[in-house]
Amino acid sequence: MKVFVAGATGAIGKQLVPRLVAAGHEVHGMTRSASKRAMLEAAGAVPVVADALDADQVAEAVARARPNVIVHQLTAIPAELDMRNLDREFALTNRLRTEGTDHLLSAGQAVGVRRFVAQSNIAVYARTGGAVKSEDDALDQSPAREMRRGLEAIRHLEDAVLGARWTEGIVLRYGWFYGPGTSMAPGQESYELVRRRKFPLVGDGGGVWSFIHVDDAAEATVAAVEHGGRGIYNVVDDDPAAVAEWLPALAVQLGAKKPMRVPRFIGRLFAGEWGAVMMTQIRGASNAKAKRELAWRPGHPSWRQGILVA
Ligand SMILES: NC(=O)c1ccc[n+]([C@@H]2O[C@H](COP(=O)([O-])OP(=O)(O)OC[C@H]3O[C@@H](n4cnc5c(N)ncnc54)[C@H](OP(=O)(O)O)[C@@H]3O)[C@@H](O)[C@H]2O)c1
């Protein structure tokens, strides 16, 4: 098949493109920078230089490639996040998830793409009820102020993709990435904060995280491209865990001192309300549907084995 990957050079795109090529697909990889052409060619893709926020450029790029499938992996998340100003930090990502989605969808409709696979996130789920959410569980209706616009943008993306009845619209709600090219990797921001004892355990550490190694996220995406049916799939590992469990375990693995404990109001002061939510209230997700319907299994079933060798 011909697959058009928007976001071909990002954390997930870098893992996805070579896998699609190895599976025999003709991949057209989009970037804003002409300087990344060589990198895409080396991965076996046809480079496409276009700005996702420019409707005409996207329409022209997609029309030229005439893909069977479009994969939307566009984000622009800064390497170091100011958790108290997430509206600012996510402003561009929010535009990519709203305008960028709309541009790709109309370009895809014009050439009649068979599938449209887009990146979403398990952060959408309600912070009440069970600790581990399935795809049809309720969404967060009162997000923390700092993430309100971010979650609105994700909802826009999901609604637009699932509402596109002319194609198989597929939404992949990825868990929290770790592995190469992510902030959860040796030498990268989150690991270094844990190593330097600057990633405290906030409140009861009751927030439940579902991680996913980027290799496994890419494998699930290939499965969705090849045989996914319209709908939402959580793409997470088998082992959701509370921060109070994984954070001290990661500190041990990294040879760091035990994380400091701080009350929720102190965590909120330093990391904003969303930071406090992530540490105390966020929910995990179940991968049962993706396993069943995409015939996919995570190669790293638990962060316990994978997180250090990432
Ligand atoms: N579920 C999760 O935990 C999750 C999800 C997403 C990201 N993250 C994290 O966030 C950090 C940053 O990752 P990232 O993937 O956002 O980084 P990134 O390296 O900035 O990748 C974003 C992709 O979007 C493309 N892009 C952005 N704006 C574009 C535009 N206007 N037009 C065309 N293409 C555009 C980029 O292409 P060019 O730059 O080549 O133009 C790149 O391919 C990483 O640590 C990652 O792990 C985590």
Side-chain angles (χ1 to χ4, degrees), residues 7 9-11 31-32 36 51-52 74-75 77 119 121 175 177 182-183:
T9 58
T31 172
R32 279 162 297 183
K36 293 188 189 167
D51 182 345
L74 297 164
T75 53
I77 303 171
Q119 171 179 162
N121 191 282
F177 287 164
T182 77
S183 74

Side-chain angles (χ1 to χ4, degrees), residues 66-223:
R66 298 202 72 78
N68 309 105
V69 181
I70 291 180
V71 183
H72 173 359
Q73 298 286 354
L74 297 164
T75 53
I77 303 171
E80 289 183 22
L81 275 181
D82 175 355
M83 293 294 290
R84 283 170 305 179
N85 287 295
L86 288 180
D87 269 351
R88 193 186 61 210
E89 301 288 75
F90 273 79
L92 194 48
T93 296
N94 294 345
R95 288 189 65 199
L96 292 166
R97 286 177 164 154
T98 51
E99 295 161 54
T101 303
D102 295 348
H103 298 337
L104 281 171
L105 278 169
S106 38
Q109 186 169 17
V111 299
V113 298
R114 198 186 306 163
R115 280 200 185 87
F116 190 103
V117 180
Q119 171 179 162
S120 179
N121 191 282
I122 58 166
V124 291
Y125 290 113
R127 293 171 277 140
T128 50
V132 178
K133 303 294 189 184
S134 300
E135 288 80 354
D136 46 9
D137 278 333
L139 304 183
D140 192 351
Q141 299 301 337
S142 53
R145 183 185 51 77
E146 297 91 330
M147 270 308 275
R148 203 163 295 149
R149 289 201 193 132
L151 290 178
E152 275 169 16
I154 294 182
R155 297 251 186 108
H156 174 97
L157 175 148
E158 292 198 347
D159 291 347
V161 171
L162 297 168
R165 307 311 287 184
W166 46 269
T167 190
E168 297 279 349
I170 298 174
V171 164
L172 300 178
R173 288 183 181 157
Y174 296 125
W176 305 109
F177 287 164
Y178 71 99
T182 77
S183 74
M184 294 286 264
Q188 301 308 309
E189 195 201 6
S190 301
Y191 267 33
E192 289 314 302
L193 289 174
V194 175
R195 203 191 297 277
R196 298 203 308 268
R197 215 180 175 219
K198 291 192 166 165
F199 197 133
L201 215 160
V202 175
D204 64 356
V208 175
W209 289 42
S210 279
F211 289 101
I212 187 74
H213 192 288
V214 274
D215 287 355
D216 291 331
E219 293 285 346
T221 310
V222 173

Side-chain angles (χ1 to χ4, degrees), residues 219-232:
E219 293 285 346
T221 310
V222 173
V225 163
E226 292 181 340
H227 53 261
R230 178 182 292 115
I232 302 171

